[in-house]
Amino acid sequence: MNFNASRNVNPVGGPRKAKRVSDVSAMGVPSPSPAYNTPPAYSQGFETVPPAAPYQQGIQVETRQDFAAAEPAGNFGYMAGYPQAPMPSAANIGSMLHQPIVQDMALQYGSVLAAEGRAAVSRELGRFVPMTRLRYYFAVDTRYVLKKLLLLVFPFTHKEWMVRYDQDSPVQPRYDVNAPDLYLPAMGYVTYVLLAGFMLGLQHRFSPEQISIQASSALAYIIFEMVLYLITLYITNTSTALKTLDLLAFSGYKYCTMIASLLCALMMGSTGYYCCLAYGSCALSFFLVKTLRLHLLSGPREAEQRSSYEYSFPANPNPYSESWSKAGAGGTKRRLYFLLFVAITQPLLSWWLTYHLVPARPALTQAR
């Protein structure tokens, strides 16, 4: 109840009895408003909106919602209020890799990648090494190897030395025993290095460094003689049909003579070595003369054209005809000199690379 003091005083008369007021609203005083409005109720099926945070003057209350506590239905996780894909586990990845489709895709990708790698390697090697030309020199079979070895050992019985051609290119070595190859020189080089280490071991002179010394020295002599031949052709201005790989093939046939001489030294000592080396050197020189003569004397086509021109018009008063004939004769002499130079240096290099491996007595007798 409220007491109104102004109403208890009577201005005219005496004191007036106080009046009790039981209804406050009748006095015209507004009713107090609540702190916040009650949120309206929502029907079922709609998401309930959280009530607004209470606000007081000067104070702001933050409300945080814990999304980790609530576990939403379905296979979705919530991040920043948006559904995200679930993280795959190791078991799911393993089962996925075992699927045939995934394996086929990986196999196809690996084959494509390997093909691109081979193409890149062949392209880079093709800048320095003629890979297509090398395939020709290694196109051999067992029959060719046996015939070539017999030709190197017994060249005196061979009659036909011409190299057969298929249109403008020579046929592969497997179809022509007269064609040069690089298979026998490569195998001869490896066999020589291993045989040299074996002979040093029988003489108690072997050490692990000796294998590398023998291999490097033999390789150095191969490079030396190739450079020597090419410089000789360049200085003498001798043009031939020989290619660099042809010279490498013909200079590598000496390893067959060297291996045969070392095997004879194992069984018969120094006597057998020198006898085998003498016969092998004669056979090798005869083989080189017969084979290289066709490659060297075939020469450039210009010389052939000049010689045919001179033969057709012998009485032509051309002042250059005599100089042409002299140039052709000089070129033929230079080719013959180069042929003899190769035929002599190959036996000398065979002796130089093998004489220090020969024992005084048969090596098999010393081993016993």
Side-chain angles (χ1 to χ4, degrees):
M1 296 184 65
N2 298 325
F3 176 75
N4 192 352
S6 62
R7 293 181 182 269
N8 295 330
V9 180
N10 189 357
V12 180
R16 187 178 179 182
K17 187 177 180 180
K19 184 179 180 181
R20 296 179 180 271
V21 180
S22 59
D23 191 0
V24 180
S25 59
M27 300 174 61
V29 181
S31 60
S33 60
Y36 60 93
N37 297 327
T38 304
Y42 291 87
S43 60
Q44 187 176 1
F46 293 90
E47 183 180 1
T48 303
V49 179
Y55 176 80
Q56 296 181 5
Q57 187 176 4
I59 301 176
Q60 185 177 358
V61 180
E62 296 182 358
T63 58
R64 297 180 181 178
Q65 186 176 359
D66 190 3
F67 291 98
E71 188 69 25
N75 191 13
F76 294 96
Y78 282 86
M79 182 179 297
Y82 297 96
Q84 302 292 332
M87 297 297 294
S89 60
N92 294 335
I93 295 176
S95 61
M96 186 184 302
L97 293 178
H98 287 289
Q99 295 295 329
I101 299 178
V102 178
Q103 293 179 356
D104 294 341
M105 292 176 61
L107 182 61
Q108 184 178 3
Y109 178 76
S111 61
V112 172
L113 188 62
E116 292 179 356
R118 288 194 300 267
V121 171
S122 61
R123 184 173 60 255
E124 293 298 328
L125 288 178
R127 298 179 181 179
F128 308 99
V129 181
M131 300 301 297
T132 305
R133 190 66 180 171
L134 280 178
R135 295 192 187 97
Y136 165 80
Y137 288 97
F138 284 94
V140 300
D141 53 5
T142 305
R143 185 179 179 181
Y144 168 82
V145 172
L146 294 177
K147 286 185 176 181
K148 196 73 170 185
L149 289 176
L150 290 176
L151 179 61
L152 291 173
V153 177
F154 306 104
F156 310 104
T157 60
H158 194 64
K159 301 300 181 182
E160 183 62 35
W161 296 94
M162 291 293 298
V163 178
R164 292 184 294 175
Y165 279 79
D166 184 10
Q167 295 180 355
D168 294 335
S169 60
V171 298
Q172 293 181 353
R174 69 179 70 181
Y175 304 116
D176 186 12
V177 71
N178 296 322
D181 70 285
L182 288 175
Y183 177 79
L184 280 177
M187 294 297 103
Y189 171 79
V190 176
T191 306
Y192 161 75
V193 173
L194 297 178
L195 185 59
F198 177 73
M199 294 192 68
L200 291 175
L202 292 178
Q203 302 174 34
H204 305 286
R205 294 189 297 159
F206 178 78
S207 62
E209 293 80 9
Q210 289 296 326
I211 294 293
S212 60
I213 291 175
Q214 297 298 324
S216 59
S217 61
L219 184 60
Y221 277 107
I222 291 175
I223 298 174
F224 169 73
E225 59 181 319
M226 290 302 302
V227 172
L228 182 63
Y229 294 154
L230 294 177
I231 290 178
T232 303
L233 291 175
Y234 179 76
I235 292 177
T236 58
N237 195 18
T238 304
S239 57
T240 64
L242 281 174
K243 301 179 178 60
T244 305
L245 294 178
D246 294 336
L247 286 174
L248 181 61
F250 287 120
S251 63
Y253 288 137
K254 66 177 176 292
Y255 286 106
C256 298
T257 302
M258 295 164 57
I259 292 171
S261 302
L262 291 177
L263 291 177
C264 291
L266 282 175
M267 296 181 291
M268 294 178 290
S270 59
T271 303
Y273 164 76
Y274 285 107
C275 291
C276 184
L277 182 63
Y279 175 80
S281 299
C282 294
L284 180 62
S285 298
F286 184 83
F287 169 79
L288 292 176
V289 168
K290 287 291 185 179
T291 306
L292 290 177
R293 182 175 61 88
L294 301 175
H295 291 83
L296 290 174
L297 297 183
S298 60
R301 295 182 180 180
E302 296 178 358
E304 296 178 358
Q305 294 175 358
R306 291 169 184 171
S307 61
S308 63
Y309 177 81
E310 293 169 4
Y311 180 77
S312 302
F313 303 95
N316 185 16
N318 189 356
Y320 296 101
S321 60
E322 185 178 358
S323 62
W324 283 1
S325 60
K326 289 182 180 179
T332 303
K333 288 182 180 180
R334 289 195 297 269
R335 296 187 189 98
L336 289 177
Y337 291 154
F338 179 76
L339 176 61
L340 294 177
F341 176 67
V342 174
I344 292 174
T345 54
Q346 291 300 305
L348 291 177
L349 288 174
S350 301
W351 168 77
W352 180 260
L353 291 173
T354 54
Y355 81 97
H356 63 282
L357 301 173
V358 179
R361 295 182 301 170
L364 296 179
T365 306
Q366 294 181 1
R368 295 178 183 175

